[in-house]
Amino acid sequence: MKLSVVIPAYNEEESITHTLVSLHNTLNKYNIPHEICVTNDNSKDGTLRVLDELSLQIPTLVYYTNPGPNGFGYAVRYGLERFKGDCVAVFMADMSDDPEDLVKFYYKMLEGDYDCVFGSRWEKGGKVIDYPALKKVINRVANAIVRTVMGIKYNDTTNAFKLYKRETIEGIKPFLAPHFNLTIELPLKAMVRGYNYAVVPNSWTNRKYGESKLKIKEMGSRYFFILMYCLIEKYFSQGDFMKKTTAPKKEVSR
């Protein structure tokens, strides 16, 4: 099963080299067939130049520049329209996600033939390193609201680091969220539409370079919009968007 890794990148000149080299080396170590698909989201620094240089070192790297509109969600969606693998993970350019965790996601998907594998930083075995205190409080409150409203047990919906089969991505289109609220749109739609999933503990490490692109003050109403959309679909869509299952073939007597 070929793995695609979609990485949105905006002004990640200082982080992108370490991220891509570590990711490529780790996936090669486990002999996982893969492509690394970076969307340069119209960076204003030297991100594109660094990607040009890295493409000479990393044969599995492909990259695009999103001409606009720009934003985290748009950049991820740009990659999700272009990846070539049988499954696809969303991975952060600032190396906050661990490539070893992605390997665990991949083998978990193979092991159980899951439609999705979701990471959780708050399950037993998960961890966060240098997580800002205020951001942690907001994260836990937001995830508690999502769990309560949607009636689910999964406790890290806002975690962008997830793995989906190609069929799952096709089945949860069209995408609506242009910003970080895409992080909850993808898993909630997958759940609502009947795709099965497994949860794997993962680690998260705060970025060493640059600044976070998540602007909490701007995101509250956007997360709420996607949450309400998924809630309405869950209870009022009459199953119109549910995962299509192939009916078992009937035996024919001869």
Side-chain angles (χ1 to χ4, degrees), residues 138-197:
I138 294 172
N139 177 289
R140 302 322 300 140
V141 170
N143 277 281
I145 292 171
V146 172
R147 287 204 324 272
T148 302
V149 170
M150 296 300 297
I152 60 177
K153 294 182 179 180
Y154 178 48
N155 66 358
D156 203 7
T157 312
T158 59
N159 182 0
F161 187 23
K162 297 178 171 71
L163 176 65
Y164 304 87
K165 283 186 178 177
R166 171 174 286 279
E167 294 82 1
T168 306
I169 289 296
E170 293 301 319
I172 61 178
K173 290 179 179 179
F175 304 131
L176 302 175
H179 301 289
F180 278 88
N181 48 346
L182 186 70
T183 61
I184 70 169
E185 179 182 359
L186 301 183
L188 289 182
K189 274 187 177 177
M191 293 180 196
V192 167
R193 297 184 183 185
Y195 293 90
N196 64 13
Y197 65 94

Coordinates of all heavy atoms in Angstrom, one line a residue, residues 138-197:
I138 N -7.4 25.4 26.0 CA -8.3 25.6 24.9 C -8.6 24.3 24.1 O -9.7 23.9 23.8 CB -7.8 26.7 24.0 CG1 -7.8 28.0 24.7 CG2 -8.7 26.8 22.7 CD1 -7.2 29.2 24.0
N139 N -7.5 23.5 23.9 CA -7.6 22.3 23.2 C -8.5 21.3 23.9 O -9.4 20.7 23.3 CB -6.2 21.7 23.0 CG -6.2 20.3 22.4 OD1 -6.6 19.3 22.9 ND2 -5.7 20.3 21.2
R140 N -8.3 21.1 25.2 CA -9.1 20.1 25.9 C -10.5 20.5 26.0 O -11.4 19.7 25.9 CB -8.5 19.9 27.4 CG -7.1 19.5 27.4 CD -6.7 18.5 26.3 NE -7.4 17.3 26.4 CZ -7.9 16.6 25.2 NH1 -7.6 17.1 24.0 NH2 -8.6 15.5 25.3
V141 N -10.8 21.8 26.2 CA -12.2 22.3 26.2 C -12.9 22.1 24.8 O -14.0 21.6 24.7 CB -12.3 23.8 26.6 CG1 -13.7 24.4 26.4 CG2 -11.8 24.0 28.1
A142 N -12.1 22.5 23.8 CA -12.7 22.3 22.4 C -13.0 20.9 22.1 O -14.1 20.5 21.6 CB -11.7 22.9 21.4
N143 N -12.1 20.0 22.5 CA -12.3 18.5 22.2 C -13.4 18.0 23.0 O -14.2 17.1 22.6 CB -11.0 17.8 22.4 CG -10.1 17.8 21.2 OD1 -10.3 17.1 20.2 ND2 -9.1 18.7 21.2
A144 N -13.6 18.5 24.3 CA -14.7 18.0 25.1 C -16.0 18.4 24.5 O -17.0 17.7 24.5 CB -14.6 18.6 26.5
I145 N -16.1 19.6 23.9 CA -17.3 20.1 23.3 C -17.6 19.2 22.1 O -18.8 18.8 21.9 CB -17.1 21.6 22.9 CG1 -17.1 22.5 24.1 CG2 -18.3 22.0 21.9 CD1 -16.7 23.9 23.8
V146 N -16.6 19.0 21.3 CA -16.8 18.1 20.1 C -17.3 16.7 20.5 O -18.3 16.2 19.9 CB -15.5 18.0 19.2 CG1 -15.7 17.0 18.1 CG2 -15.1 19.4 18.7
R147 N -16.7 16.1 21.5 CA -17.1 14.8 21.9 C -18.6 14.8 22.4 O -19.4 13.9 22.1 CB -16.2 14.3 23.1 CG -14.9 13.9 22.7 CD -14.2 12.9 23.6 NE -14.5 13.1 25.0 CZ -13.9 14.0 25.9 NH1 -12.8 14.6 25.4 NH2 -14.2 14.1 27.1
T148 N -18.9 15.8 23.2 CA -20.3 15.9 23.7 C -21.3 16.1 22.6 O -22.3 15.4 22.6 CB -20.4 17.0 24.8 OG1 -19.4 16.8 25.8 CG2 -21.8 17.1 25.4
V149 N -21.0 17.1 21.7 CA -22.0 17.4 20.7 C -22.2 16.3 19.7 O -23.3 15.9 19.3 CB -21.6 18.7 19.9 CG1 -22.4 18.9 18.7 CG2 -21.6 19.9 20.8
M150 N -21.1 15.6 19.3 CA -21.2 14.5 18.3 C -21.4 13.2 18.9 O -21.7 12.2 18.2 CB -19.9 14.5 17.5 CG -19.6 15.8 16.7 SD -20.9 16.1 15.5 CE -20.8 14.7 14.4
G151 N -21.3 13.0 20.2 CA -21.6 11.7 20.9 C -20.5 10.7 20.5 O -20.8 9.6 20.2
I152 N -19.2 11.1 20.6 CA -18.1 10.2 20.2 C -17.2 10.1 21.4 O -17.2 10.9 22.3 CB -17.3 10.7 19.0 CG1 -16.8 12.1 19.2 CG2 -18.2 10.7 17.8 CD1 -15.9 12.7 18.1
K153 N -16.3 9.1 21.4 CA -15.4 8.9 22.5 C -14.0 9.5 22.1 O -13.2 9.7 23.0 CB -15.3 7.4 22.8 CG -16.5 6.9 23.4 CD -16.3 5.4 23.8 CE -17.6 4.8 24.4 NZ -17.4 3.4 24.8
Y154 N -13.7 9.6 20.9 CA -12.4 10.1 20.4 C -12.1 11.4 21.0 O -12.9 12.4 20.9 CB -12.3 10.1 18.9 CG -11.1 10.6 18.3 CD1 -9.8 10.1 18.7 CD2 -11.1 11.6 17.3 CE1 -8.6 10.6 18.2 CE2 -9.9 12.1 16.8 CZ -8.7 11.6 17.2 OH -7.5 12.0 16.7
N155 N -10.9 11.6 21.6 CA -10.6 12.8 22.4 C -9.6 13.8 21.8 O -9.1 14.6 22.5 CB -10.1 12.3 23.8 CG -8.8 11.6 23.8 OD1 -8.2 11.4 22.7 ND2 -8.3 11.2 24.9
D156 N -9.3 13.6 20.5 CA -8.3 14.5 19.9 C -8.7 14.9 18.5 O -7.8 14.8 17.6 CB -6.9 13.9 20.0 CG -5.8 14.9 19.9 OD1 -6.1 16.2 20.0 OD2 -4.6 14.5 19.9
T157 N -9.9 15.3 18.3 CA -10.4 15.5 16.9 C -9.6 16.7 16.3 O -9.3 16.7 15.1 CB -11.9 15.9 17.0 OG1 -12.6 15.0 17.7 CG2 -12.5 15.9 15.6
T158 N -9.1 17.7 17.0 CA -8.4 18.8 16.5 C -7.0 18.5 16.1 O -6.3 19.3 15.5 CB -8.4 20.0 17.5 OG1 -7.8 19.5 18.7 CG2 -9.8 20.4 17.8
N159 N -6.5 17.3 16.4 CA -5.2 16.9 16.0 C -5.2 16.6 14.5 O -5.9 15.8 14.0 CB -4.8 15.6 16.7 CG -3.5 15.1 16.4 OD1 -2.7 15.6 15.7 ND2 -3.1 13.9 17.1
A160 N -4.4 17.4 13.7 CA -4.4 17.3 12.3 C -3.7 15.9 11.8 O -4.0 15.5 10.7 CB -3.6 18.4 11.7
F161 N -2.9 15.3 12.6 CA -2.1 14.2 12.2 C -3.0 12.9 12.2 O -3.3 12.3 13.2 CB -1.0 14.0 13.3 CG 0.0 13.0 12.9 CD1 0.2 12.5 11.6 CD2 0.8 12.4 13.9 CE1 1.2 11.6 11.3 CE2 1.8 11.5 13.6 CZ 2.0 11.0 12.3
K162 N -3.4 12.6 11.0 CA -4.3 11.4 10.8 C -4.0 10.8 9.4 O -3.4 11.4 8.5 CB -5.8 11.9 10.8 CG -6.2 12.4 12.1 CD -7.7 12.9 12.1 CE -8.1 13.3 13.5 NZ -7.5 14.5 14.0
L163 N -4.4 9.5 9.3 CA -4.2 8.7 8.1 C -5.5 8.2 7.5 O -6.3 7.7 8.3 CB -3.3 7.6 8.4 CG -2.9 6.6 7.3 CD1 -2.2 7.2 6.1 CD2 -2.2 5.4 7.8
Y164 N -5.7 8.4 6.2 CA -7.0 8.0 5.5 C -6.7 7.2 4.3 O -5.7 7.5 3.6 CB -7.7 9.2 5.1 CG -8.1 10.2 6.2 CD1 -7.2 11.3 6.5 CD2 -9.3 10.2 6.9 CE1 -7.4 12.2 7.5 CE2 -9.6 11.1 7.9 CZ -8.6 12.1 8.2 OH -8.9 13.0 9.2
K165 N -7.5 6.2 4.0 CA -7.4 5.5 2.7 C -7.9 6.5 1.7 O -8.7 7.4 1.9 CB -8.3 4.3 2.7 CG -7.8 3.1 3.5 CD -8.7 1.8 3.3 CE -8.1 0.6 4.0 NZ -9.0 -0.5 3.8
R166 N -7.5 6.2 0.4 CA -7.9 7.0 -0.7 C -9.4 7.0 -0.8 O -10.0 8.1 -1.1 CB -7.2 6.5 -2.0 CG -7.8 7.2 -3.2 CD -7.1 6.8 -4.5 NE -5.7 7.4 -4.6 CZ -5.5 8.6 -5.0 NH1 -6.5 9.4 -5.4 NH2 -4.3 9.1 -5.1
E167 N -10.0 5.8 -0.6 CA -11.5 5.7 -0.8 C -12.2 6.6 0.3 O -13.3 7.1 0.0 CB -11.9 4.3 -0.7 CG -11.4 3.4 -1.8 CD -10.0 2.9 -1.6 OE1 -9.4 3.2 -0.6 OE2 -9.5 2.2 -2.5
T168 N -11.6 6.7 1.4 CA -12.2 7.5 2.5 C -12.2 9.0 2.1 O -13.2 9.7 2.3 CB -11.4 7.3 3.8 OG1 -11.4 5.9 4.1 CG2 -12.1 8.0 5.0
I169 N -11.0 9.4 1.6 CA -10.9 10.8 1.2 C -11.9 11.1 0.1 O -12.6 12.2 0.1 CB -9.5 11.1 0.7 CG1 -8.5 11.1 1.9 CG2 -9.4 12.5 0.0 CD1 -8.8 12.2 2.9
E170 N -12.1 10.2 -0.9 CA -13.1 10.5 -1.9 C -14.5 10.5 -1.3 O -15.3 11.2 -1.8 CB -12.9 9.4 -3.0 CG -11.6 9.4 -3.8 CD -11.4 10.8 -4.5 OE1 -12.4 11.3 -5.0 OE2 -10.3 11.3 -4.5
G171 N -14.7 9.7 -0.3 CA -16.0 9.5 0.2 C -16.5 10.6 1.1 O -17.7 10.8 1.4
I172 N -15.5 11.5 1.6 CA -15.9 12.6 2.5 C -15.8 13.9 1.8 O -16.0 15.0 2.5 CB -15.0 12.6 3.8 CG1 -13.6 12.8 3.5 CG2 -15.3 11.3 4.6 CD1 -12.7 12.8 4.7
K173 N -15.7 13.9 0.5 CA -15.7 15.2 -0.3 C -17.2 15.6 -0.5 O -18.1 14.7 -0.3 CB -15.1 15.0 -1.6 CG -13.5 14.8 -1.6 CD -12.9 14.7 -2.9 CE -11.4 14.5 -2.9 NZ -10.8 14.3 -4.2
P174 N -17.5 16.8 -0.8 CA -16.5 17.9 -0.9 C -16.1 18.5 0.4 O -16.8 18.4 1.4 CB -17.3 19.0 -1.7 CG -18.7 18.7 -1.3 CD -18.9 17.2 -1.1
F175 N -14.9 19.1 0.4 CA -14.4 19.7 1.6 C -14.9 21.2 1.7 O -15.0 21.9 0.7 CB -12.9 19.7 1.7 CG -12.3 18.3 1.5 CD1 -11.3 18.1 0.6 CD2 -12.8 17.3 2.3 CE1 -10.8 16.8 0.5 CE2 -12.3 16.0 2.1 CZ -11.3 15.7 1.2
L176 N -15.2 21.6 2.9 CA -15.7 23.0 3.1 C -14.7 23.9 3.8 O -14.6 25.1 3.5 CB -17.0 22.9 4.0 CG -18.1 22.1 3.4 CD1 -19.2 22.0 4.5 CD2 -18.6 22.6 2.1
A177 N -13.9 23.4 4.7 CA -13.1 24.2 5.6 C -11.9 24.8 4.9 O -11.1 24.0 4.3 CB -12.7 23.4 6.8
P178 N -11.7 26.1 4.9 CA -10.5 26.7 4.3 C -9.3 26.9 5.3 O -8.2 27.2 4.9 CB -11.0 28.0 3.8 CG -12.1 28.4 4.8 CD -12.7 27.1 5.3
H179 N -9.5 26.7 6.6 CA -8.5 27.0 7.6 C -8.3 25.8 8.4 O -8.5 24.6 8.0 CB -9.0 28.2 8.4 CG -9.2 29.4 7.5 ND1 -8.2 30.1 6.9 CD2 -10.4 30.0 7.2 CE1 -8.7 31.1 6.2 NE2 -10.0 31.1 6.4
F180 N -7.8 26.0 9.7 CA -7.5 24.9 10.6 C -8.7 24.1 10.9 O -8.6 23.0 11.5 CB -6.8 25.4 11.8 CG -5.3 25.6 11.6 CD1 -4.8 26.8 11.2 CD2 -4.4 24.6 11.9 CE1 -3.5 27.0 11.0 CE2 -3.0 24.8 11.7 CZ -2.6 26.0 11.3
N181 N -9.9 24.6 10.7 CA -11.1 23.8 11.0 C -11.2 22.6 10.1 O -12.0 21.7 10.3 CB -12.4 24.6 10.9 CG -12.5 25.5 9.7 OD1 -11.5 25.7 8.9 ND2 -13.7 26.0 9.4
L182 N -10.4 22.5 9.0 CA -10.3 21.2 8.2 C -9.9 20.1 9.1 O -10.3 18.9 8.8 CB -9.4 21.4 7.1 CG -9.3 20.3 6.1 CD1 -10.6 20.2 5.3 CD2 -8.1 20.4 5.1
T183 N -9.2 20.3 10.2 CA -8.7 19.2 11.0 C -9.8 18.5 11.7 O -9.7 17.3 12.0 CB -7.7 19.8 12.1 OG1 -8.4 20.7 13.0 CG2 -6.5 20.4 11.5
I184 N -11.0 19.2 11.9 CA -12.1 18.4 12.5 C -13.1 18.0 11.4 O -13.9 17.1 11.6 CB -12.8 19.2 13.6 CG1 -13.6 20.4 13.1 CG2 -11.9 19.6 14.7 CD1 -14.5 21.1 14.1
E185 N -13.1 18.7 10.3 CA -14.0 18.3 9.2 C -13.7 16.9 8.7 O -14.6 16.1 8.5 CB -14.0 19.3 8.0 CG -14.9 18.9 6.9 CD -14.8 19.8 5.7 OE1 -14.1 20.8 5.7 OE2 -15.5 19.5 4.7
L186 N -12.5 16.6 8.4 CA -12.1 15.3 7.9 C -12.5 14.1 8.8 O -13.2 13.2 8.3 CB -10.6 15.3 7.5 CG -10.1 16.3 6.6 CD1 -8.6 16.1 6.3 CD2 -10.8 16.3 5.3
P187 N -12.1 14.1 10.0 CA -12.5 12.9 10.9 C -14.0 12.9 11.2 O -14.5 11.8 11.2 CB -11.6 13.1 12.1 CG -11.4 14.6 12.2 CD -11.2 15.0 10.8
L188 N -14.6 14.0 11.4 CA -16.0 14.0 11.8 C -16.9 13.5 10.6 O -17.8 12.7 10.8 CB -16.5 15.4 12.3 CG -16.0 15.8 13.6 CD1 -16.5 17.2 14.0 CD2 -16.3 14.8 14.7
K189 N -16.6 14.0 9.4 CA -17.3 13.5 8.2 C -17.1 12.0 8.1 O -18.0 11.2 7.7 CB -16.8 14.2 7.0 CG -17.5 15.5 6.7 CD -17.1 16.0 5.3 CE -17.8 17.3 4.9 NZ -17.3 17.8 3.6
A190 N -15.8 11.5 8.3 CA -15.5 10.1 8.2 C -16.4 9.3 9.2 O -16.9 8.2 8.8 CB -14.1 9.8 8.4
M191 N -16.5 9.8 10.4 CA -17.3 9.1 11.4 C -18.8 9.1 11.0 O -19.4 8.0 11.1 CB -17.1 9.7 12.8 CG -15.7 9.6 13.3 SD -15.6 10.5 14.9 CE -13.9 10.6 15.2
V192 N -19.3 10.2 10.7 CA -20.7 10.4 10.4 C -21.1 9.5 9.2 O -22.2 9.0 9.1 CB -21.0 11.9 10.1 CG1 -22.4 12.0 9.5 CG2 -20.9 12.7 11.4
R193 N -20.2 9.4 8.2 CA -20.5 8.7 7.0 C -20.2 7.2 7.1 O -20.3 6.5 6.1 CB -19.8 9.3 5.8 CG -20.2 10.8 5.6 CD -19.7 11.4 4.4 NE -20.1 12.8 4.3 CZ -19.9 13.7 3.3 NH1 -19.1 13.2 2.2 NH2 -20.3 14.9 3.3
G194 N -19.8 6.7 8.2 CA -19.7 5.3 8.4 C -18.4 4.6 8.2 O -18.3 3.4 8.0
Y195 N -17.3 5.4 8.1 CA -16.0 4.8 7.9 C -15.4 4.4 9.2 O -15.5 5.2 10.2 CB -15.1 5.9 7.2 CG -15.5 6.2 5.8 CD1 -16.4 7.2 5.5 CD2 -15.1 5.4 4.7 CE1 -16.8 7.5 4.2 CE2 -15.5 5.7 3.4 CZ -16.4 6.7 3.1 OH -16.8 6.9 1.9
N196 N -14.8 3.2 9.2 CA -14.3 2.8 10.5 C -12.9 3.3 10.8 O -12.2 3.7 9.8 CB -14.3 1.2 10.6 CG -13.4 0.6 9.6 OD1 -12.6 1.2 8.9 ND2 -13.6 -0.7 9.4
Y197 N -12.5 3.3 12.0 CA -11.2 3.9 12.4 C -10.6 3.3 13.6 O -11.3 2.7 14.4 CB -11.4 5.4 12.6 CG -12.2 5.8 13.8 CD1 -11.6 6.1 15.0 CD2 -13.6 5.9 13.6 CE1 -12.4 6.5 16.1 CE2 -14.4 6.3 14.7 CZ -13.8 6.6 15.9 OH -14.5 6.9 17.0

